Amino acid sequence: MRHRRGLFAVAIALAILAPASTAFAYIDAGTGSYLLQLAIGSMMAAGVLGRLYWRRLKEFFSRSGSEPSDDDR
């Protein structure tokens, strides 16, 4: 049974990665706006995560160069 799953996964991967025929597609004006929104949203999410974990990040980088305290031994 496990062998079948592996074989099935390989078959799916090959079907996905197989070269496709030429696509006659275009990029409309809304795509640039969407990419801009995606970039801004990603930066905002990174800022929020940085703000939420600021104390942990600060402690991590301040401890990395100092000697271990008695609590760490």
Side-chain angles (χ1 to χ4, degrees):
M1 186 69 174
R2 186 175 211 135
H3 186 292
R4 279 187 180 174
R5 278 193 228 163
L7 193 58
F8 183 70
V10 169
I12 294 295
L14 287 175
I16 291 173
L17 297 175
S21 62
T22 304
F24 299 103
Y26 67 97
I27 297 176
D28 63 346
T31 304
S33 174
Y34 175 72
L35 292 175
L36 182 63
Q37 289 178 34
L38 186 66
I40 292 172
S42 298
M43 287 187 284
M44 296 296 287
V48 168
L49 281 175
R51 181 74 173 153
L52 289 173
Y53 292 106
W54 178 252
R55 183 179 297 151
R56 289 183 187 178
L57 288 170
K58 192 173 167 183
E59 289 174 3
F60 175 76
F61 287 116
S62 66
R63 278 190 285 164
S64 63
S66 63
E67 295 180 15
S69 63
D70 292 332
D71 296 336
D72 294 338
R73 291 182 189 180

